[in-house]
Amino acid sequence: MKRYFPLLFCWLLLLPAVAFAAAGSDPEEQFQRLHGYYQRLLNTDEGEKRENWQRAARALQELHRQQARQEVGAKSLYLLGNLYHQLYRRSGIPLDLAEAITSLQEVQGLYPNHPLADDALFYVAHIFLYEQQDWQRAEQVLKRLLDLYPAGDVAPGAREMLATIGGGRAGSTGSERPVLQADGRYKRPVAPAQPPETRRSASTDQKAERRIAVLPVRHWSSERYTRVVVETEAPLNFRSHLQENGDGPQRLYLDLDGARLSPRIDSPVKQVADGLLQRIHHLQTAAGGVRLILDTQTRLDDYKIFSLDNPHRVVIDLIGQPAPTPPPLPTPPPVMARPATGESLSLAQQLGMGVRRIVIDPGHGGKDPGAISPSGIKEKDVTLRISRLLAAQLRRQGNEVILTRDRDIFLPLEERTAIANSHEADLFISVHANAAANRQARGVETYILDVVASDDQAMRVAARENASSARSFSELQGIVQELLNHAKLQESQQLAEFVHQTTLTSLRGAFGGQIEDRGVRRAPFVVLIGAQMPALLVEVGFLSNPEEERLLADERYLNRLVQGIAEGINHYANNLSLAER
Ligand SMILES: [Zn+2]
């Protein structure tokens, strides 16, 4: 029963914004349009008008009426429940919540054999528990769910939830608020809690508003790696705990104190099912925090959790062998330029060698311009231009190339590495341009990841590229230390040495000795953290230096540069193939 959830929630991201009033079109298309419109209600100003929600609700009801007992009918009804729940979060009108519960209950009642039936009941239990603090009714629904669908994919989550709320129950009423204990179980409070009707009083709302919102979780998957990023509106403390289960799947708990779930989170359970991570539960605890529970599909080899700021986020890397059954629906890649199929095979490919797919990462983008030259040239534009040229060059050599961004958009650092990992790239190259207070500083430098920076200058470069303060920088070193075990350090060092040398040689061939060799260096760059393949960051010149500013706008310089980088990659690949023979 796992195929529908991922499908449904992938659409959230993909559907184009199209008007949905298109009678007579294919029901599936109608559903998709409505789903797209629902997404707009969640994310744009259109969601501020109640009438828009009601319009969407009416259209979904109509679609369900026309498609009763059909696949689209079941999905429409489920989405209707979803929509009313979100509307309630905005309106606070109890009737909206009642509509949500009714629609979801009807999914199970009308479509008991549909894969969404158990999900719908689970959703209802979440609403009872977290919107109404009615753990008794939540318990009833969960028991019914387990009776009817003991082997369904939400059954483990339902059992966990049942165990969690299984504190005192005798003589209690539905109005009592369960309290999360230190051991992770809920318990009924000794003193009577607020009755439900005062729950949304102004003071309660203000208190809730003061809590830090946890935004929808993002994730990237490959066969043996999953990165989950939890972004929050402000920094907050987190605690984690891994629950072992023999050799079986594990549960990873992430507790965020003083937090609330953003209304943009549209489902209590996010299904992932990528072979490593089964699903993520989002729980609003009665104690005023958020708990995320990550159910793995297999026993992890390793996992790492670290936080980054600007914006504030917690990054969870899971590493392991995938569960025997492959994922039914892999997550679509967030941003990528479709690789053109090269006509000729590179030497590495002819030899069946290890460098085939290369991810190139143009530094910065969108709201983050990177360094800016005195005359106003932005690093983000320079890096994109170079990356496109480099991609073209590498494709001509028969490599498959993926750009983390192919236009001027903002992309968080951890997402760039995640794109490389989830595409199982063989190499990761992050392209940057340098800047320094000293306008005389010039030249090319190539970096790989390390805990300690090679020197003060390298540290300043990393701090600038990480867009982080000195303080978080020192915290970062602790993170890197832990993560280095998985980094391909020797390979990265060799790759960096080849690329650095061929780049210098190529540039000097045209521009002579004025191109300064600043060497291969090391520093803790966030964009390199967690890369599962040889990875480097190249600083292609100084935008702060008047002469290099000119060069970085000169096509001849850029062409020489990408030829040099590409040649270094070839050397590396050929060297690998020799080593393996
Ligand atoms: Zn940069």
Side-chain angles (χ1 to χ4, degrees):
M1 300 218 166
K2 63 177 62 150
R3 289 177 179 264
Y4 284 82
F5 241 98
L7 200 62
L8 201 58
F9 291 101
C10 287
W11 282 338
L12 288 177
L13 303 170
L14 294 180
L15 281 179
V18 192
F20 57 81
S25 63
D26 174 48
E28 181 63 39
E29 279 174 28
Q30 284 185 48
F31 174 78
Q32 293 205 18
R33 273 196 292 273
L34 284 167
H35 207 285
Y37 185 68
Y38 167 62
Q39 189 57 27
R40 267 164 58 190
L41 292 177
L42 286 178
N43 296 318
T44 70
D45 294 350
E46 287 179 72
E48 285 166 19
K49 286 197 181 135
R50 182 172 176 83
E51 65 200 57
N52 287 342
W53 292 82
Q54 288 172 318
R55 211 157 62 93
R58 278 195 302 275
L60 277 171
Q61 275 154 348
E62 178 57 21
L63 187 58
H64 174 243
R65 196 185 58 75
Q66 289 169 4
Q67 295 294 314
R69 297 176 194 283
Q70 310 291 324
E71 170 65 27
V72 170
K75 291 194 298 193
S76 301
L77 199 54
Y78 190 87
L79 184 58
L80 184 65
N82 225 305
L83 181 144
Y84 268 119
H85 180 215
Q86 292 304 319
L87 178 56
Y88 166 75
R89 288 212 175 157
R90 287 158 189 254
S91 70
I93 297 172
L95 206 56
D96 292 337
L97 195 61
E99 291 278 8
I101 293 169
T102 306
S103 303
L104 291 165
Q105 283 173 333
E106 278 181 2
V107 171
Q108 193 278 323
L110 296 174
Y111 306 91
N113 298 319
H114 193 277
L116 282 172
D118 59 340
D119 295 87
L121 283 185
F122 199 32
Y123 199 155
V124 170
H126 272 86
I127 290 178
F128 281 142
L129 189 59
Y130 299 109
E131 298 291 4
Q132 303 198 314
Q133 284 77 39
D134 186 345
W135 58 269
Q136 264 192 328
R137 288 176 77 190
E139 195 173 21
Q140 285 166 8
V141 174
L142 290 168
K143 283 181 173 165
R144 180 142 172 269
L145 192 167
L146 289 170
D147 271 353
L148 293 170
Y149 308 100
D153 73 317
V154 300
R159 279 188 198 102
E160 163 77 14
M161 196 167 164
L162 204 51
T164 307
I165 60 179
R169 55 175 63 84
S172 60
T173 72
S175 67
E176 288 174 7
R177 192 185 278 259
V179 173
L180 186 67
Q181 309 288 297
D183 64 359
R185 300 176 75 84
Y186 280 88
K187 228 181 157 180
R188 199 160 49 88
V190 180
Q194 300 165 357
E197 57 269 25
T198 63
R199 193 173 52 78
R200 282 192 169 258
S201 68
S203 67
T204 316
D205 273 1
Q206 278 163 14
K207 207 169 171 181
E209 280 312 305
R210 273 200 301 275
R211 290 194 218 127
I212 295 161
V214 175
L215 303 175
V217 170
R218 295 171 290 145
H219 77 278
W220 297 265
S221 311
S222 69
E223 211 184 337
R224 298 188 309 165
Y225 161 91
T226 303
R227 172 165 281 186
V228 176
V229 175
V230 186
E231 192 174 324
T232 58
E233 285 180 344
L236 40 65
N237 291 328
F238 70 90
R239 284 164 288 121
S240 66
H241 166 68
L242 185 73
Q243 190 180 67
E244 296 285 354
N245 173 25
D247 283 337
Q250 294 148 305
R251 310 201 88 182
L252 182 61
Y253 293 85
L254 182 72
D255 284 315
L256 303 156
D257 298 333
R260 65 185 166 89
L261 291 172
S262 156
R264 283 169 51 197
I265 296 174
D266 70 340
S267 168
V269 184
K270 179 186 172 87
Q271 295 288 346
V272 178
D274 61 6
L276 269 191
L277 179 59
Q278 180 67 48
R279 69 181 78 77
I280 305 168
H281 304 265
H282 309 74
L283 310 183
Q284 182 75 60
T285 68
V290 165
R291 163 170 278 192
L292 299 182
I293 304 174
L294 284 72
D295 286 338
T296 72
Q297 282 179 274
T298 174
R299 207 191 133 76
L300 299 174
D301 291 338
D302 200 0
Y303 74 101
K304 295 286 176 238
I305 304 181
F306 57 98
S307 63
L308 298 169
D309 58 8
N310 194 23
H312 312 283
R313 58 237 198 254
V314 180
V315 180
I316 304 155
D317 279 350
L318 308 175
I319 298 152
Q321 301 296 325
T325 27
L329 284 167
T331 312
V335 180
M336 60 180 284
R338 264 278 150 226
T341 318
E343 283 178 12
S344 60
L345 293 178
S346 69
L347 179 58
Q349 282 177 310
Q350 290 167 30
L351 296 169
M353 258 320 302
V355 177
R356 197 171 49 83
R357 186 178 300 153
I358 300 166
V359 168
I360 302 173
D361 171 44
H364 312 275
K367 66 182 180 187
D368 169 20
I372 300 177
S373 80
S375 74
I377 297 176
K378 296 183 180 109
E379 182 185 354
K380 66 173 184 178
D381 298 325
V382 174
T383 59
L384 183 55
R385 195 167 167 205
I386 293 169
S387 298
R388 282 179 177 153
L389 288 171
L390 181 57
Q393 174 74 28
L394 290 169
R395 282 174 188 147
R396 277 196 293 276
Q397 295 176 1
N399 294 290
E400 181 185 343
V401 181
I402 293 161
L403 293 174
T404 55
R405 67 177 179 97
D406 61 358
R407 60 211 151 93
D408 185 18
I409 52 161
F410 176 76
L411 207 57
L413 294 170
E414 74 279 7
E415 185 164 335
R416 299 164 185 261
T417 335
I419 289 171
N421 286 345
S422 62
H423 285 94
E424 298 184 339
D426 301 306
L427 296 180
F428 178 66
I429 314 280
S430 190
V431 178
H432 289 259
N434 227 326
N438 171 13
R439 302 214 15 210
Q440 303 307 309
R442 59 188 300 158
V444 176
E445 50 195 22
T446 308
Y447 282 96
I448 65 166
L449 180 68
D450 205 344
V451 184
V452 185
S454 301
D455 52 48
D456 283 358
Q457 273 182 348
M459 196 165 110
R460 272 196 292 276
V461 172
R464 187 173 59 74
E465 299 294 11
N466 293 341
S468 61
S469 62
R471 189 176 140 269
S472 58
F473 193 75
S474 67
E475 285 165 9
L476 199 60
Q477 293 183 325
I479 299 163
V480 175
Q481 179 71 67
E482 277 194 39
L483 290 163
L484 276 182
N485 303 333
H486 286 282
K488 296 232 174 350
L489 280 192
Q490 275 186 347
E491 293 91 334
S492 297
Q493 175 77 34
Q494 182 151 56
L495 173 68
E497 277 167 12
F498 279 129
V499 166
H500 189 75
Q501 273 320 317
T502 52
T503 304
L504 271 181
T505 307
S506 175
L507 289 173
R508 282 175 170 171
F511 300 92
Q514 61 174 315
I515 308 299
E516 198 171 306
D517 177 1
R518 300 176 64 91
V520 173
R521 315 167 96 180
R522 296 175 170 228
F525 286 96
V526 168
V527 75
L528 299 179
I529 291 178
Q532 306 283 299
M533 69 292 300
L536 64 78
L537 182 148
V538 57
E539 295 279 359
V540 296
F542 281 75
L543 279 170
S544 50
N545 178 292
E547 195 161 340
E548 294 206 339
E549 178 193 1
R550 265 198 305 281
L551 288 176
L552 286 169
D554 179 346
E555 196 131 325
R556 215 161 52 102
Y557 183 87
L558 301 186
N559 279 325
R560 280 282 181 165
L561 184 71
V562 302
Q563 278 163 19
I565 297 172
E567 202 183 331
I569 290 171
N570 268 349
H571 275 249
Y572 175 78
N574 297 341
N575 199 52
L576 267 188
S577 68
L578 290 173
E580 286 204 353
R581 269 192 275 171

